[in-house]
Amino acid sequence: MKIVVGLGSCGIAAGAQKVYDKIKRQLDVRGANNQLEPVGCIGMCYLEPIVEFIEEDGNKHTYTKVTPDIVDEILEGIFEDNPCKKHLINPIEWDKLQKQKRIALKNCGVIDPENIHQYIEHDGYEAVKKCIQKMTPKEVIEEIKVSNIRGRGGAGFPTWFKWNAAMNNNGNTKYIVCNADEGDPGAFMDRSILEGDPHAVIEGMMIAGYAIGAQEGVIYVRAEYPLAIVRLQKAILQAKELNLLGSNIFDSTFQFDLKIKAGAGAFVCGEETALIASLEGERGMPRLKPPFPAEKGLWQQSTNINNVETFANIPWIINQGGKSFADIGVDNSKGTKVFALTGKIKDGGLVEVPMGTSLREIIFDIGGGIINDKEFKAVQLGGPSGGCIPKELLDTSVDYESINQTGAIMGSGGMVVMDDTTCMVDMAKFFLDFTCKESCGKCIHCRLGTKRMLEILTRITDGKGQDGDIELLEDLGTGIKEGSLCGLGQTAPNPVLSTIKYFREEYERHIIDKTCPAKQCKALLTHKILEKKCINCGLCLRNCSVEAITGSKKEAHRIHSEKCIQCGICFEVCPVGAVSVY
Amino acid sequence: MLCCKENGDKIEAIIEKHRNNPGSIITILQEVQEVFNYLPKDVLAIIAEKTKIKPAKIYGVATFYKQFRLNPIGKYLILLCQGTACHVNGSKKIEETLYDELKIKDGETTEDGLFTLNNVACLGCCSLSPVMMINEETYGSLTPEHVAEIIRELKNKENRQVV
Ligand SMILES: Cc1cc2nc3c(=O)[nH]c(=O)nc-3n(C[C@H](O)[C@H](O)[C@H](O)COP(=O)(O)O)c2cc1C
Ligand code: FES
């Protein structure tokens, strides 16, 4: 029997390493020599740490939310052929997996990412072998064209088109770059792929290298992803040992080498020309396109840049055929897309669904709906470049065109769910604060425009909003979109514009009525103790940091508004819900 | 202390390793920061001299990327996630609690040199949000009370060691 433990970053954060170590110790104590394997994230982050016992016949016992304390109990049951039922996964969870279609994530949570042989057992490196031995570069690109896959990094540009442009370039030296900078704060699709199935990305890059005629590849990984870097390093080393990287690959004349470069923390470096500048050791500032990287990229040579998820799809496409990929999805959006489902969602994690699935299916059928069964308010797609989609549009199909129509973008796959306690003005402010800090400063509109927008949003949430502020935001937003050189500035106003579009009333309530309907903006709140409900326990009084509450064991407590700083601690500590906020 | 012989040798070795790779100044700075935990100004000058890259350019790179620090950090580096999921699930309150306990804001270090607070965007465990990391350890599903407890425990541990 094989034992596997999910050891992605999310699993480790939930304590999976301790569980793994405990199992290992216990196996030693018992003198059992079961195979114990770490795997990547299977996507069900809300159930981590996850431990699976897989019998020879494939029968599985999956345990969730495992802690070191219950390891004994579980192992006991397993070894006595009487698996304990208590912590077993609820079968409903498997149904949620059934609703998904796994291509980019097919090996994540299934194979040991640090063992190349397991990847090979799952058809690994078959696709690149097929390309080298049976296909011309043109045929490879044709297959990608048939699949109609579009870039998963955000902009959704047809992948074959970029490859074709790079192939047609006459240069001698060409480069393949994998964009693993994953900048959207609240998204971790690429990281999970790199941690769970690094070889798929390597193989995808090799195929791209073969197609365009490049012999060198670079993976630009976000510095915050140390585990992904370690697993990639191991994967590259193992591939070199088996002569899958290097020269004379599969006894052909094809040669390909791979390097990793760690980013140093700059969101704008996800933009391809900035990324290239960063690879060259410069400040990561974008430049005007054209020339596109396919003409003048890294070191002025023809370069093809794709996102991690894009590359991870490529081996599947070559193995199964472009047509199989194109059979999944809708109109102009083919295949699947991975999303990081987070926020006020019950079952957060990674999901991979066919294009064309509705937001409602993703959030309610797969994600289990909203925490505490609260009211769904909006979902944010595309991070700082994207927008919020409101309840009325929950049936929107997830494909590039339909999402664009709402004013949001598909983006790289961040999907943050919000309920009625999320303030939309505050959300817009959050993203503007991010883009304002991350602007590289090259374009005035982006550098100063985002700052002005942030100031206005701050004043609105501080209760100092003025008549005309909404129009000013719209005006500035339009100007910044037009006056910025790269995608950062061109999309920075989106979170503001899309919330104004769907939640204008909420902005007006802040500005005119000076209230925050979601009760998040402190400056706009008033706390009051309801005399009838108060049980005189004194908890609020003791917790108040500014002594704004008076009362005694015999009399109901009272908040003195002139002293109150609306910190909300009384509301939180009151055991009987006697503090009201409005 | 900074440029004692041993550290000087380390810098030398790092630069030597990358001598033939154009464009590796970011990697050099990353590796040097591993040695000192930050980038001391005089060390930047040494790097400039040895790599023949202009000091202004090195300083430009060091200040462009968030990863680089020009000041030393505390013994405990707190990385507080301010990503979208954590924001939606109350990371502001965690930041306030940290301020109450330590009186430091983003990028600052406590006077006793024990704690440094850095805001970061998404630690990738959004399903456990709000999240923070202290040195290598990740703490998820935080509440203000929980955070206060974690910090006090670390402080106590340090006090015990002093006595
Ligand atoms: C500000 C900004 C940030 C970006 N960040 C990323 C990123 O983190 N990851 C990514 O793959 N693409 C990112 N992109 C898109 C890249 O510029 C590029 O389009 C993409 O890597 C191309 O790969 P694809 O065709 O496979 O999507 C970003 C673009 C902009 C303007
Ligand atoms: S947003 Fe905090 S861990 Fe992802």
Side-chain angles (χ1 to χ4, degrees), chain A residues 185-188 342, chain B residues 81-87 121-127 129-131:
Chain A
F188 52 96
T342 63
Chain B
C81 180
Q82 300 279 15
T84 321
C86 289
H87 179 80
C122 196
L123 292 165
C125 356
C126 311
S127 47
S129 56
V131 180

Side-chain angles (χ1 to χ4, degrees), chain B residues 93-107:
Chain B
K93 285 219 173 89
I94 308 301
E95 190 176 9
E96 284 163 16
T97 309
L98 286 172
Y99 183 76
D100 286 344
E101 293 294 322
L102 298 169
K103 299 281 174 292
I104 47 172
K105 293 194 181 130
D106 180 24

Side-chain angles (χ1 to χ4, degrees), chain A residues 10 13-14 18 45-46 185-188 191 222-223 261-269 278-285 299 342-344 348 416-417 422 426-427 430-431 434 438 440 522 572, chain B residues 21-27 30 57 59-61 63-68 82-85 87-90 93 96 106 119-129 131 137-140 144-145:
Chain A
C10 46
K18 289 182 189 127
C45 302
Y46 58 102
F188 52 96
R191 183 239 295 271
R222 214 175 152 215
K261 190 104 174 182
F267 171 65
V268 72
C269 287
S278 181
L279 282 177
E280 293 174 349
E282 303 286 334
R283 289 160 69 98
M285 313 258 256
W299 307 116
T342 63
K344 304 277 187 188
V416 186
V417 176
T422 316
D426 177 68
M427 260 343 269
F430 166 78
F431 282 117
F434 181 82
E438 294 293 341
C440 79
K522 279 201 181 137
E572 272 163 37
Chain B
N21 294 335
S24 30
I25 184 63
I26 294 174
T27 315
Q30 283 168 335
K57 184 170 166 194
Y59 194 70
V61 169
T63 50
F64 184 85
Y65 295 97
K66 278 194 299 288
Q67 191 189 18
F68 298 125
Q82 300 279 15
T84 321
H87 179 80
V88 170
N89 284 324
K93 285 219 173 89
E96 284 163 16
D106 180 24
N119 285 345
V120 294
C122 196
L123 292 165
C125 356
C126 311
S127 47
L128 298 173
S129 56
V131 180
E137 183 94 16
T138 310
Y139 301 85
E145 295 78 39

Side-chain angles (χ1 to χ4, degrees), chain A residues 157-364:
Chain A
F157 205 74
T159 301
W160 76 271
F161 192 89
K162 295 206 302 200
W163 289 21
N164 199 47
M167 179 188 72
N168 286 330
N169 187 287
N170 295 328
N172 285 329
T173 312
K174 297 181 187 178
Y175 296 101
I176 295 288
V177 176
C178 173
N179 189 342
D181 197 41
E182 192 150 72
D184 176 357
F188 52 96
M189 304 75 50
D190 295 350
R191 183 239 295 271
S192 285
I193 295 175
L194 293 173
E195 285 179 358
D197 195 11
H199 288 287
V201 179
I202 296 177
E203 189 177 358
M205 292 180 73
M206 290 171 72
I207 295 171
Y210 176 73
I212 73 161
Q215 302 179 340
E216 231 181 285
V218 190
I219 311 178
Y220 187 89
V221 193
R222 214 175 152 215
E224 289 90 334
Y225 288 0
L227 185 62
I229 295 180
V230 168
R231 295 211 171 138
L232 270 174
Q233 278 165 339
K234 285 195 183 156
I236 292 176
L237 216 68
Q238 293 177 351
K240 279 190 181 153
E241 276 166 12
L242 297 185
N243 201 21
L244 291 163
L245 285 173
S247 45
N248 300 77
I249 298 172
F250 292 114
D251 299 320
S252 71
T253 52
F254 178 59
Q255 60 178 60
F256 196 72
D257 253 316
L258 213 48
K259 267 198 288 213
I260 300 173
K261 190 104 174 182
F267 171 65
V268 72
C269 287
E271 198 279 337
E272 51 193 16
T273 58
L275 191 154
I276 289 171
S278 181
L279 282 177
E280 293 174 349
E282 303 286 334
R283 289 160 69 98
M285 313 258 256
R287 63 157 174 79
L288 206 60
K289 291 186 281 195
F292 289 95
E295 302 156 63
K296 275 195 166 51
L298 185 58
W299 307 116
Q300 302 297 312
Q301 306 297 324
S302 173
T303 302
N304 177 69
I305 303 186
N306 278 122
N307 162 265
V308 171
E309 193 185 329
T310 314
F311 281 126
N313 275 300
I314 301 294
W316 192 95
I317 293 175
I318 296 295
N319 280 330
Q320 314 290 325
K323 167 110 190 1
S324 306
F325 193 84
D327 284 343
I328 306 165
V330 290
D331 308 332
N332 232 335
S333 307
K334 299 301 191 187
T336 58
K337 178 78 197 84
V338 182
F339 290 99
L341 194 53
T342 63
K344 304 277 187 188
I345 187 96
K346 263 192 202 147
D347 305 339
L350 274 196
V351 300
E352 180 170 357
V353 291
M355 294 274 189
T357 308
S358 77
L359 286 169
R360 188 187 299 278
E361 284 171 83
I362 298 177
I363 295 168
F364 287 90

